[in-house]
Amino acid sequence: METISILPPELIRMVIAVIIIISFLFLNAIMMGYAERKIAGHVQRRPGPMEVGSHGILQMIVDGVKLVGKELLIPFNVDRTLFRVAPLLSFTPVILPLLVIPFSEKLQARDLNLGLIFIVTMGSVNVMALLVGGWGSNNKYSMFGAMRAVAQSIAYEIPILLSLLAVVLMCNTFSLKEIVAAQQNIWFVFLQPVAFLIYVVAGLAETNRNPFDLPEAESELTAGFHTEYSGMGFSLFFIGEYTNMFIVASVATVLFLGGWHGPHLPYGEYLGVVWFFLKVYLLLFLMIMVRWTYPRVRFDQLLNFAWKYLVPFSLVNLLITAVLVKL
Amino acid sequence: MGEENKSSSIRPDLDAYAAYLKSESCRPVVEQGREYGEGPLLRIKLVDTIMKLCQANSLWPMTFGIACCAIEMMGTGMARFDISRYGSEVFRPSPRQSDLMIVAGTVNKKLAPVLLTLYEQMPSPKWVIALGNCAISGGPFKVKENYNIIEGADKLIPVDVYVPGCPPRPEGLIEGILKVQEKITGIRHPIPQNRHPKSPLKKIKGLRVK
Ligand code: SF4
């Protein structure tokens, strides 16, 4: 393994990459929030945000500024440290996975040879944030939300890992760049359709999106784990959630949809990023459509679905893949 | 609107609390030309203006339907009327994340502490709309025999805008929200709004429509 260099040229490159990624996070949250509200509107046959800016494009910026200006309430009975740490814990770890995702052949902050494992690990830290926030709030609704988040995440982490492993078995590497390079001729979604489906469903659950948004079920749990958060605390959770969606979609793109591959473009090694983002945002569009079309599942249904169907199916899929690869 | 409530007491245990909430010192809204409390160290006019514009255009209401008026409030969020055009369709279930309390229905003595708690739990700046006759003055329930009605939400919490009707039409609620926007910023359409299709009546010649 290469030694991680901390000398100036590499250091400067990393600093620039981190800055770009952080600004991208906010941009992504703004775009996704706007898209979500607009698509929700059109699904329900109403225009959605319309008056703030042309067709409401400034709406999310206005909301963001307003949230900054809201009073930051810390309720009387909470655990102060945990209560303050939780939003940061949900927001910070989502930056790291973006460092190893190959946006195009040359646009990648760092190509770890254990990139996939790194991403999955960082994805689990988010659940910690929900647990800490729910526990620290000292509120029954938050507590229920946090507990649900943990149970759900444990259940769905397994099918995610198993379905990703099937791909890893096929190309024999954890490095995301090499996985994409292996899809030069055929995307893995055609070779591993079952794994792809399992990953997308489990990914929806992993990011707490409807129909699996039980940790923040509005009809039962007020606002779930972030019931007590106001202003920026709430919006950090919210940015974290959208970034997690982006990460899940981009992992799906990297592993199954051929990453930066697409019809030839000039300067392909950089402009491959266009295809990458196209695929990612198509997946995100799908996630939003699912959210506004389907009702929420019950909690026992959620767990049954994971343990009774997703896990066995992904195990069998993994087994078949292993046998076929060995042959 | 029924007769005057003889005893001005709402509920013995809540009286002092409600009085405190309505007193000036507790009033979080920075009204025009008048500011309460110490305020920020440095006050820049431009920043204030921008802040107010943003607050006016993203009023997130709380999911808090009390009685029949709540049905009209839901109707306002749905297709035909759609308050999301003004950016206030984000009905937050938790008071901690909402800016606007729409008191949509009858407030009785049993609900009074709940209303006060919810209002207290909202982080400032916050605004209140009293929707419907019940929330304004007790409405049809204010009769001699009725012992538990509170004649208007403004007996408990400071109300910014009153929307009359039993129930008011969704257009009324939208107008109420526009009035809150006007109250925050001081001008009617803070961000150039109203690109609505022109009234079809305009096409008829000789008819004067504004
Ligand atoms: S004002 Fe009329 S419609 Fe509204 S809550 Fe009272 S009785 Fe119901």
Side-chain angles (χ1 to χ4, degrees):
Chain A
M1 187 188 160
E2 53 177 333
T3 51
I4 292 178
S5 108
I6 46 163
L7 296 175
E10 181 63 15
L11 189 70
I12 291 172
R13 209 175 69 91
M14 287 305 283
V15 168
I16 292 177
V18 169
I19 290 174
I20 290 178
I21 281 172
I22 292 181
S23 40
F24 171 73
L25 288 193
F26 284 94
L27 191 69
N28 177 56
I30 286 176
M31 281 192 302
M32 289 295 296
Y34 176 66
E36 176 124 35
R37 288 168 77 170
K38 209 66 188 171
I39 291 171
H42 284 286
V43 166
Q44 299 169 356
R45 296 198 67 185
R46 51 191 179 83
M50 207 63 183
E51 304 285 346
V52 188
S54 168
H55 282 257
I57 10 179
L58 295 180
Q59 186 63 57
M60 287 311 286
I61 299 171
V62 164
D63 281 348
V65 175
K66 180 209 74 177
L67 281 172
V68 172
K70 282 295 263 191
E71 181 185 2
L72 259 185
L73 271 180
I74 298 188
F76 189 56
N77 277 334
V78 300
D79 184 327
R80 281 173 166 263
T81 333
L82 292 188
F83 189 78
R84 289 207 176 183
V85 161
L88 294 178
L89 204 57
S90 124
F91 174 71
T92 331
V94 296
I95 299 167
L96 297 174
L98 289 174
L99 287 174
V100 296
I101 287 173
F103 292 101
S104 80
E105 211 169 336
K106 295 243 169 102
L107 289 180
Q108 186 185 17
R110 176 169 283 283
D111 184 29
L112 287 188
N113 54 4
L114 284 179
L116 194 54
I117 294 186
F118 182 70
I119 288 186
V120 173
T121 320
M122 284 302 150
S124 322
V125 177
N126 188 44
V127 186
M128 269 299 287
L130 306 197
L131 180 60
V132 166
W135 181 271
S137 296
N138 193 11
N139 175 325
K140 54 186 180 245
Y141 299 121
S142 312
M143 190 65 204
F144 272 122
M147 286 303 141
R148 284 181 176 190
V150 173
Q152 175 173 343
S153 154
I154 290 173
Y156 279 86
E157 204 101 302
I158 297 168
I160 281 190
L161 281 174
L162 289 177
S163 59
L164 295 184
L165 261 189
V167 173
V168 171
L169 276 189
M170 286 178 66
C171 47
N172 224 350
T173 171
F174 278 114
S175 152
L176 295 176
K177 202 170 190 175
E178 286 167 37
I179 291 177
V180 179
Q183 304 180 49
Q184 182 75 46
N185 297 319
I186 181 160
W187 296 355
F188 285 150
V189 64
F190 300 116
L191 303 179
Q192 290 282 0
V194 181
F196 178 65
L197 276 183
I198 291 173
Y199 179 76
V200 169
V201 173
L204 272 181
E206 186 68 14
T207 48
N208 304 327
R209 293 290 292 180
N210 208 320
F212 306 111
D213 66 342
L214 285 141
E216 43 192 303
E218 294 188 356
S219 47
E220 312 143 32
L221 288 187
T222 312
F225 60 89
H226 56 58
T227 301
E228 294 287 351
Y229 285 92
S230 66
M232 270 326 265
F234 165 65
S235 52
L236 282 185
F237 272 122
F238 171 82
I239 294 171
E241 178 185 325
Y242 278 129
T243 318
N244 257 326
M245 278 169 70
F246 181 84
I247 291 167
V248 164
S250 45
V251 170
T253 309
V254 164
L255 269 88
F256 296 101
L257 297 179
W260 64 77
H261 292 307
H264 184 70
L265 283 178
Y267 305 108
E269 60 264 38
Y270 292 106
L271 279 188
V273 75
V274 175
W275 299 122
F276 184 87
F277 275 105
L278 198 66
K279 290 166 189 171
V280 168
Y281 279 103
L282 273 178
L283 271 179
L284 289 178
F285 177 70
L286 184 83
M287 283 166 126
I288 294 179
M289 282 303 275
V290 167
R291 162 158 187 192
W292 291 101
T293 322
Y294 292 102
R296 184 184 305 128
V297 295
R298 240 177 24 229
F299 199 64
D300 56 327
Q301 291 169 337
L302 173 96
L303 290 185
N304 277 347
F305 185 61
W307 293 109
K308 285 191 186 162
Y309 299 98
L310 290 186
V311 173
F313 270 108
S314 46
L315 268 178
V316 170
N317 184 49
L318 185 65
L319 214 72
I320 295 175
T321 316
V323 170
L324 286 184
V325 166
K326 195 70 192 165
L327 281 182
Chain B
M1 300 285 163
E3 50 192 273
E4 220 17 52
N5 204 346
K6 296 259 167 49
S7 65
S8 69
S9 151
I10 297 161
R11 240 176 76 157
D13 49 332
L14 286 181
D15 267 349
Y17 193 37
Y20 162 71
L21 271 183
K22 279 191 287 181
S23 67
E24 294 268 295
S25 62
C26 192
R27 195 66 226 242
V29 183
V30 179
E31 277 167 8
Q32 289 213 285
R34 283 199 296 161
E35 278 140 22
Y36 303 114
E38 293 183 8
L41 232 50
L42 184 66
R43 191 167 273 278
I44 304 169
K45 194 110 191 296
L46 182 68
V47 176
D48 264 9
T49 318
I50 292 176
M51 204 62 189
K52 279 181 187 162
L53 279 185
C54 292
Q55 283 166 350
N57 278 289
S58 88
L59 290 167
W60 293 0
M62 180 167 33
T63 320
F64 184 45
I66 309 173
C68 12
C69 273
I71 305 294
E72 295 299 311
M73 184 172 80
M74 294 168 210
T76 320
M78 291 302 133
R80 182 178 280 257
F81 304 101
D82 193 18
I83 40 173
S84 81
R85 288 177 294 141
Y86 301 96
S88 42
E89 93 275 32
V90 195
F91 278 93
R92 294 308 309 170
S94 158
R96 301 271 188 223
Q97 295 143 18
S98 42
D99 316 291
L100 176 66
M101 178 191 245
I102 302 178
V103 185
T106 329
V107 186
N108 51 28
K109 290 195 177 166
K110 197 168 181 183
L111 190 76
V114 180
L115 191 78
L116 279 177
T117 316
L118 284 175
Y119 181 75
E120 280 280 88
Q121 281 177 340
M122 286 163 67
S124 56
K126 52 191 167 185
W127 293 273
V128 179
I129 291 182
L131 184 70
N133 289 349
C134 284
I136 295 175
S137 67
F141 301 109
K142 180 53 203 163
V143 287
K144 227 184 209 158
E145 292 80 14
N146 202 341
Y147 56 90
N148 74 339
I149 211 75
I150 286 178
E151 291 182 53
D154 55 358
K155 287 240 155 75
L156 295 169
I157 54 178
V159 174
D160 292 287
V161 171
Y162 300 85
V163 182
C166 180
R169 297 263 318 155
E171 290 95 331
L173 178 54
I174 291 184
E175 178 63 26
I177 286 176
L178 292 184
K179 278 280 179 232
V180 176
Q181 291 186 354
E182 194 180 335
K183 183 165 184 182
I184 298 169
T185 54
I187 37 177
R188 181 159 166 86
H189 291 302
I191 280 182
Q193 289 171 338
N194 279 333
R195 336 171 133 256
H196 306 306
K198 280 188 189 131
S199 162
L201 293 179
K202 272 200 174 160
K203 285 187 192 137
I204 306 171
K205 271 190 192 141
L207 196 68
R208 278 221 204 130
V209 185
K210 199 181 155 219

